[in-house]
């Protein structure tokens, strides 16, 4: 494995800086955003590197659990922030977070105990990166699906109500929208699986190979990760859409857009 | 009137509307008028239980809470002023066994294969009424159902609703602004303004 020095990293950073300078002329605000985001990446990843180092040294279940919950909380916030019309109150935060918890945590647990089978199963070198990948992808699927769902329900409220008025159930009235939304939530991961290895070399595998791992081993891990991510994102999106549809209607099957924040 | 009461409404309360009480009896065709903004549409939406509201509402003595909302809306059928369609062809919006009422409004059987996109606003309005009648509701709540129609079609719709109400012992609450239409079809009138629901249309 070739060691990267800080000088090597700053060479890569120069490229981002060059991009920012070039784009100032077209869109000054974007250059600023670009630099802030790049700075955040450097700081956040450095900090997490230190945290992981400490975590790996202790290998304590309580610390691994705490770290997982922090990751979940941040992912929940991110899902909420990406909604243009989110549910008011705790639901706005709760639906995405609960769905990610159900799918990512149970799949990570399954992978750690059944597939990887480490001793102890919560060994942080495996548990944290695995959960991170699952949360990251599930978060994208859920955020996309929820945003589409609430937005489409808002735009098509009269059509939904037209069906309710004809005696259709809430579930029937949103059946077409639900199908679309589920599709849009799963499309990124389906595309990623279809293009894997041909168009793109997945990031995890690339990182492993760059760090000196045997390619065939790296590929096996990548395949497992992609399957886990697909299941995680898929079940998470299903749960989130299910919970949101329930919250969009009340016991008398009325469309309750008043529960959404502007 | 000696007919049994069909829809009983006591103290219906919802946002932006004074509490209303009314009774619709079998075979009645009641015209509802009043200034725009008085809440006619809001009242009909509440009667169909489409918005949050409170009050005692019952159909043939059965309180609405005693039946699922889907069943209530099949029996208390509300036709909004603007119709909405969710599938490409007309047929997809009708239950499999739809009564052959199409001819009554000037359509032949081929209408089922038509594309919704290509319907005129008048065709949409007539087909939306037929779509509602296919559920065989006991109470019709019609929000300006002839607003986009020419005189010949207005007459067809008026006759169809009149016959439907008679044959099914149904009741109809029909929102309209046209005095001559009220004259033609109403067995009774109601008038809604910001003060509430009145029996008479003011002169």
């Amino acid at each position: 494995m070739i060691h990267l020095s800080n000088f090597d990293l700053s060479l890569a950073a120069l490229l981002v800086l060059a991009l920012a300078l070039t784009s100032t002329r077209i869109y000054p605000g974007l250059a600023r955003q670009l630099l802030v985001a790049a700075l955040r990446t450097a700081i956040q990843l450095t900090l997490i590197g230190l945290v992981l180092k400490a975590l790996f040294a202790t290998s304590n279940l309580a610390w691994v659990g705490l770290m997982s919950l922090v990751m979940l909380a941040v992912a929940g916030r991110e899902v909420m922030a990406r909604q243009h019309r989110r549910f008011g109150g705790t639901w706005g935060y709760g639906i995405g977070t609960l769905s990610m918890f159900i799918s990512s945590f149970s799949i990570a647990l399954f992978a750690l105990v059944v597939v990887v089978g480490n001793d102890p199963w919560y060994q942080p070198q495996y548990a944290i990166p695995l959960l991170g990948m699952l949360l990251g992808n599930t978060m994208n699927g859920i955020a996309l699906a929820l945003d589409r769902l609430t937005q489409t329900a808002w735009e098509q409220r009269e059509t939904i109500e037209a069906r309710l008025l004809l005696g259709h159930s809430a579930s029937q009235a949103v059946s077409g929208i639900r199908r679309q939304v589920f599709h849009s939530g799963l499309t990124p991961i389906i595309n990623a699986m279809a293009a894997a290895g041909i168009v793109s070399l997945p990031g995890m595998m690339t990182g492993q190979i760059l760090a000196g791992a045997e390619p065939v081993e790296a590929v096996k891990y990548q395949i497992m990760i992609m399957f886990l991510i697909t299941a995680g994102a898929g079940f998470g999106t299903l749960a989130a859409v299910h919970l949101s549809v329930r919250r969009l209607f009340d016991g008398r099957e009325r469309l309750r857009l008043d529960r959404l924040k502007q | 009137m000696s007919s049994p009461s069909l829809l009983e409404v006591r103290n219906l309360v919802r946002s932006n509307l004074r509490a209303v009480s009314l009774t619709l009896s079998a075979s009645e065709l009641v015209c509802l008028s009043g200034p725009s903004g008085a809440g006619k549409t809001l009242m009909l939406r509440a009667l169909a239980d489409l918005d949050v509201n409170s009050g005692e509402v019952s159909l043939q003595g059965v309180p609405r809470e005693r039946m699922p909302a889907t069943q209530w809306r099949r029996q208390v059928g509300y036709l909004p002023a603007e119709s909405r369609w969710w599938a490409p062809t007309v047929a997809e919006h009708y239950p499999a066994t739809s009564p052959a009422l199409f001819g009554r409004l000037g359509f032949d059987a081929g209408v089922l294969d038509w594309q919704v996109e290509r319907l005129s606003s008048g065709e949409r309005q007539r087909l939306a009424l037929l779509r509602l009648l296919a559920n065989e509701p006991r109470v019709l709540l019609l929000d300006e159902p002839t607003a986009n129609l020419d005189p010949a079609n207005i007459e067809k719709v008026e006759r169809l609703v009149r016959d439907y109400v008679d044959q099914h012992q149904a009741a109809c609450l029909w929102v309209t602004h046209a005095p001559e239409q009220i004259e033609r079809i109403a067995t009774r009138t109601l008038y809604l303004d910001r003060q509430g629901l009145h029996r008479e249309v003011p002169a």
Side-chain angles (χ1 to χ4, degrees):
Chain A
M1 179 178 167
I2 298 161
H3 185 76
L4 281 182
S5 68
N6 287 340
F7 178 69
D8 298 332
L9 290 181
S10 50
L11 288 181
L14 275 182
L15 291 177
V16 179
L17 203 61
L19 175 67
L21 283 176
T22 319
S23 50
T24 350
R25 302 182 53 170
I26 308 169
Y27 191 168
L30 195 68
R32 213 188 116 79
Q33 274 185 40
L34 192 66
L35 289 178
V36 170
L39 203 63
R40 278 188 61 170
T41 294
I43 295 172
Q44 286 166 198
L45 289 181
T46 307
L47 285 178
I48 202 69
L50 294 174
V51 170
L52 287 179
K53 195 174 171 186
L55 200 62
F56 290 179
T58 63
S59 198
N60 176 317
L61 179 58
W63 285 113
V64 174
L66 184 67
M67 178 77 191
S68 311
L69 289 180
V70 170
M71 288 160 71
L72 176 69
V74 174
R77 255 200 70 82
E78 184 67 24
V79 168
M80 186 173 78
R82 291 193 205 167
Q83 310 294 306
H84 291 99
R85 299 178 191 279
R86 61 169 180 265
F87 287 102
T90 46
W91 293 88
Y93 184 73
I95 288 179
T97 311
L98 181 65
S99 310
M100 280 190 290
F101 175 74
I102 294 169
S103 81
S104 296
F105 276 58
S106 50
I107 286 174
L109 203 64
F110 166 81
L112 289 171
V113 175
V114 183
V115 184
V116 178
N118 250 322
D119 184 38
W121 60 269
Y122 53 84
Q123 212 175 334
Q125 284 91 325
Y126 290 83
I128 297 298
L130 199 65
L131 187 66
M133 290 237 206
L134 279 166
L135 274 177
N137 285 277
T138 308
M139 176 182 89
N140 284 332
I142 289 178
L144 210 63
L146 286 187
D147 189 41
R148 285 281 301 261
L149 180 71
T150 48
Q151 188 65 30
T152 316
W154 179 273
E155 283 164 8
Q156 301 192 8
R157 57 189 180 279
E158 286 170 344
T159 310
I160 296 171
E161 288 190 337
R163 298 190 70 166
L164 294 176
L165 284 171
L166 290 167
H168 294 197
S169 66
S171 176
Q172 283 172 303
V174 292
S175 58
I177 297 172
R178 186 165 40 196
R179 202 177 317 139
Q180 266 180 37
V181 159
F182 191 48
H183 180 249
S184 61
L186 277 194
T187 299
I189 192 71
I190 291 174
N191 289 343
M193 281 202 291
I198 304 173
V199 184
S200 63
L201 285 182
M204 187 208 87
M205 192 179 99
T206 314
Q208 261 193 312
I209 294 175
L210 284 179
E214 159 70 24
V216 176
E217 275 310 302
V219 162
K220 277 197 227 159
Y221 262 91
Q222 184 63 45
I223 293 175
M224 179 186 80
I225 289 287
M226 292 202 89
F227 288 170
L228 295 178
I229 283 173
T230 305
F235 287 122
T237 305
L238 265 183
V241 169
H242 176 79
L243 291 173
S244 299
V245 166
R246 287 193 58 163
R247 184 65 188 157
L248 268 180
F249 296 89
D250 63 16
R252 295 299 286 171
E253 313 211 26
R254 307 175 184 119
L255 180 62
R256 297 294 302 273
L257 291 173
D258 56 308
R259 289 174 175 174
L260 296 177
K261 274 188 178 174
Q262 179 53 44
Chain B
M1 196 171 267
S2 60
S3 318
S5 69
L6 208 51
L7 185 75
E8 293 230 32
V9 181
R10 236 176 285 285
N11 267 318
L12 184 79
V13 177
R14 62 154 295 159
S15 54
N16 302 317
L17 185 70
R18 281 283 180 96
V20 294
S21 298
L22 68 126
T23 303
L24 294 180
S25 302
S27 302
E28 265 195 315
L29 203 164
V30 179
C31 278
L32 173 66
S33 58
S36 52
K40 298 184 292 294
T41 298
L42 295 181
M43 182 177 118
L44 296 196
R45 285 176 63 96
L47 288 175
D49 213 359
L50 196 61
D51 291 325
V52 175
N53 69 92
S54 63
E56 287 170 46
V57 186
S58 61
L59 182 70
Q60 291 179 291
V62 182
R64 58 184 175 179
E65 292 78 19
R66 295 259 296 276
M67 57 179 102
T70 49
Q71 197 188 330
W72 177 261
R73 295 191 192 114
R74 280 171 187 276
Q75 299 198 42
V76 180
Y78 164 48
L79 183 73
E82 290 262 345
S83 69
R84 296 287 162 174
W85 305 77
W86 57 89
T89 68
V90 171
E92 291 164 273
H93 299 85
Y94 290 82
T97 52
S98 126
L101 291 172
F102 290 94
R104 294 284 311 265
L105 294 187
F107 297 106
D108 58 41
V111 71
L112 287 171
D113 300 323
W114 290 6
Q115 297 291 313
V116 169
E117 228 172 80
R118 300 178 63 178
L119 298 174
S120 72
S121 60
E123 285 167 340
R124 279 168 185 250
Q125 194 160 32
R126 283 178 288 148
L127 287 168
L129 174 63
L130 293 172
R131 187 171 73 175
L132 187 76
L133 294 183
N135 280 339
E136 308 206 323
R138 292 304 313 273
V139 176
L140 296 175
L141 308 170
L142 309 180
D143 202 345
E144 303 196 52
T146 58
N148 297 315
L149 303 184
D150 57 54
N153 276 312
I154 290 177
E155 199 199 326
K156 282 182 192 154
V157 167
E158 288 175 357
R159 210 177 312 139
L160 175 67
V161 172
R162 181 70 259 170
D163 291 350
Y164 179 90
V165 166
D166 287 341
Q167 281 164 20
H168 291 77
Q169 291 291 294
C172 176
L173 189 60
W174 180 315
V175 174
T176 176
H177 289 291
E180 61 284 2
Q181 185 166 50
I182 298 176
E183 189 74 24
R184 280 197 302 272
I185 60 175
T187 59
R188 183 155 71 89
T189 57
L190 286 171
Y191 184 83
L192 183 76
D193 60 20
R194 288 179 199 282
Q195 277 68 51
L197 199 59
H198 311 278
R199 302 215 160 272
E200 299 297 328
V201 180

